[in-house]
Amino acid sequence: MKGIDLTRSLVMYSCAHIGLTFGLLPQRKLFKEVLERWRRGEATDNIKVPRRHQVFLTLCVVAVLLAGFALTR
């Protein structure tokens, strides 16, 4: 691909992981609850992720990716 070299790709890749890490922080309690239910053999497919958690995750990933894009320019 023209204009995207290995360095820029690695920066964007690492920024995506940082954004995911920050964005998933509020969902720790939810993940813990799902894991506990799964260990007890209960159904976990009825647990829904709150809308605000989804929005926070999306905003974190996009913001960190934009910062990574700005760093590579």
Side-chain angles (χ1 to χ4, degrees):
M1 291 175 51
K2 189 174 182 180
I4 299 176
D5 58 352
L6 181 61
T7 306
R8 290 181 180 167
S9 299
L10 287 175
V11 168
M12 296 303 283
Y13 182 75
S14 62
C15 285
H17 279 275
I18 292 169
L20 279 172
T21 302
F22 285 145
L24 290 174
L25 283 176
Q27 297 184 26
R28 290 177 293 173
K29 290 181 184 178
L30 182 67
F31 288 145
K32 191 174 183 179
E33 179 184 345
V34 169
L35 181 62
E36 289 298 321
R37 284 189 180 188
W38 181 73
R39 284 182 180 169
R40 290 189 301 240
E42 298 175 9
T44 58
D45 51 345
N46 59 353
I47 298 175
K48 303 294 182 207
V49 178
R51 188 79 166 157
R52 60 190 151 114
H53 289 232
Q54 294 174 354
V55 170
F56 183 74
L57 173 63
T58 304
L59 289 176
C60 283
V61 171
V62 169
V64 175
L65 281 175
L66 286 174
F69 181 75
L71 287 172
T72 59
R73 297 292 165 197

